Amino acid sequence: MTSFSLRQVRLRPGEEHREALEVELVPYEFGGQRYVPVPELVPAELVITRATTGTVFALAFDARLHGPCYRCLGDAVLDIPIHAREYQASSPDDEELTTPYVRDDVLDVSAWARDAVALALPDKILCRADCAGLCPECGRDLNDEPHVHEEHEADPRWAALESLREEP
Ligand SMILES: [Zn+2]
Ligand SMILES: [Zn+2]
């Protein structure tokens, strides 16, 4: 787990502190599939800036996840550049002005990084933007074997099969 003790940094308003860290990333369960970070340990830059009324934290790193493509189930690699910011008021009078990642002067960089990647995940993880996916008729990969099937709506035998298929 990566954390950073804020006691080692004493900043006056307007000053900033830059820290090079390594962040350990975690696998994500997404749409019933598992996506693993490669590598698990990535270099990150933490910038702490003291403002008049509080402290701004900025965390930047590049995450890369490997897992199955949503459409074709082939290997997908997703690069996610992370630029996350948090703010902690010096004398917070409401919840809005505190970050959940600072507790007892320690910044929980791992938890922040985990959430930042989760927030940055796209709706669908694809092997490539125009992945054609699997054929809904026969299951073959339409990227490797582009094809269409004959229209069969008119054939009552197919209609019967189709209605069976729609049963959950
Ligand atoms: Zn795909
Ligand atoms: Zn097909």
Side-chain angles (χ1 to χ4, degrees):
M1 191 185 112
T2 309
S3 60
F4 184 77
S5 170
L6 301 173
R7 293 209 176 89
Q8 58 191 304
V9 182
R10 289 280 167 238
L11 298 173
R12 283 182 303 224
E15 287 182 340
E16 71 169 33
H17 174 84
R18 286 173 182 266
E19 186 79 23
L21 300 170
E22 281 199 315
V23 179
E24 193 176 346
L25 301 176
V26 293
Y28 291 84
E29 293 287 336
F30 191 59
Q33 305 287 354
R34 188 176 166 87
Y35 295 89
V36 293
V38 180
E40 281 185 358
L41 209 56
V42 296
E45 188 183 48
L46 172 68
V47 182
I48 303 170
T49 310
R50 184 81 163 84
T52 354
T53 54
T55 308
V56 179
F57 300 94
L59 182 67
F61 61 91
D62 290 316
R64 170 171 282 193
L65 297 180
H66 284 224
C69 170
Y70 176 83
R71 287 188 193 141
C72 74
L73 301 178
D75 290 334
V77 178
L78 185 67
D79 284 308
I80 314 175
I82 298 293
H83 295 276
R85 283 167 76 87
E86 287 288 322
Y87 180 75
Q88 176 82 21
S90 308
S91 44
D93 46 15
D94 70 72
E95 291 278 305
E96 295 292 293
L97 296 175
T98 61
T99 162
Y101 307 115
V102 172
R103 183 158 298 168
D104 299 330
D105 274 344
V106 174
L107 177 67
D108 187 344
V109 180
S110 291
W112 185 12
R114 181 193 66 218
D115 292 351
V117 173
L119 285 172
L121 291 176
D123 290 343
K124 295 180 172 71
I125 294 173
L126 300 175
C127 60
R128 57 173 204 250
D130 62 348
C131 172
L134 300 179
C135 174
E137 298 289 330
C138 68
R140 282 184 291 162
D141 191 333
L142 291 171
N143 299 300
D144 297 338
E145 302 174 67
H147 63 275
V148 286
H149 292 266
E150 296 287 325
E151 281 296 327
H152 52 66
E153 249 89 323
D155 190 324
R157 289 168 301 170
W158 279 110
L161 272 178
E162 207 65 63
S163 64
L164 279 176
R165 193 180 302 180
E166 259 137 51
E167 307 271 331

